[in-house]
Amino acid sequence: MIKDLPENNVTDIAVAVALEGENVQSKIFHVYLINQKNEPIENVLITSKGYGEKDGEQVKTSTLRHMFPQVDARAFKQVELIDEQTFGLANEYWVSYYIGNQIYDKKFIFLPESIVDANFIRLPIVNKPGVMIG
């Protein structure tokens, strides 16, 4: 039965963590969904959670859910604020969306310690410094 499902490959969709600003005590980061397609995506559902080991103990964050009716072509949506303290965990974003009547989904995982200045690029469309998984 599973072999009968269409293989809808996710392309030109990315999740990014962008540096918004900083002060003496901390940096402010937001997570963005970036649609690099030349067509809009609809009924976008994103679940986010963090998990891993911190100070020798297993840690899990709350699971958050976000919904956007539409993300326009070559546009982005701000998903959530992300705390620097979670950068030592795996941060998972599961994105599902429709194009027409076809559903697409993909899991994007920022591995522990991957959100660091050395990995920053200029994010497409968002035009801010950050780390992107596409």
Side-chain angles (χ1 to χ4, degrees):
M1 287 188 205
I2 210 160
K3 65 179 173 45
D4 297 327
L5 293 174
E7 191 173 316
N8 294 336
N9 292 323
V10 172
T11 58
D12 299 327
I13 299 294
V15 174
V17 176
L19 176 63
E20 297 291 328
E22 54 188 303
N23 58 37
V24 176
Q25 292 131 354
S26 65
K27 295 179 179 179
I28 300 166
F29 293 90
H30 284 121
V31 176
Y32 289 92
L33 175 70
I34 304 172
N35 179 8
Q36 299 178 80
K37 293 181 173 299
N38 291 321
E39 60 187 325
I41 57 176
E42 298 176 326
N43 296 319
V44 181
L45 178 65
I46 302 170
T47 59
S48 65
K49 65 181 177 181
Y51 53 86
E53 191 174 304
K54 189 165 186 154
D55 300 327
E57 292 187 31
Q58 288 298 314
V59 177
K60 282 201 278 191
T61 67
S62 299
T63 299
L64 302 177
R65 291 171 181 80
H66 311 275
M67 203 288 182
F68 303 104
Q70 181 170 308
V71 180
D72 292 332
R74 308 216 37 85
F76 63 89
K77 290 285 185 183
Q78 182 178 312
V79 178
E80 65 187 17
L81 179 69
I82 186 169
D83 192 321
E84 268 186 287
Q85 293 181 28
T86 66
F87 292 174
L89 303 174
N91 288 283
E92 176 184 297
Y93 295 86
W94 195 328
V95 179
S96 298
Y97 62 91
Y98 282 86
I99 296 177
N101 63 357
Q102 293 291 310
I103 189 168
Y104 297 80
D105 73 320
K106 182 175 179 179
K107 197 181 293 187
F108 299 85
I109 301 174
F110 291 92
L111 297 174
E113 308 302 339
S114 64
I115 306 169
V116 294
D117 291 351
N119 293 337
F120 278 18
I121 61 167
R122 177 62 57 179
L123 299 172
I125 302 172
V126 178
N127 198 27
K128 294 180 181 181
V131 178
M132 181 173 86
I133 299 174

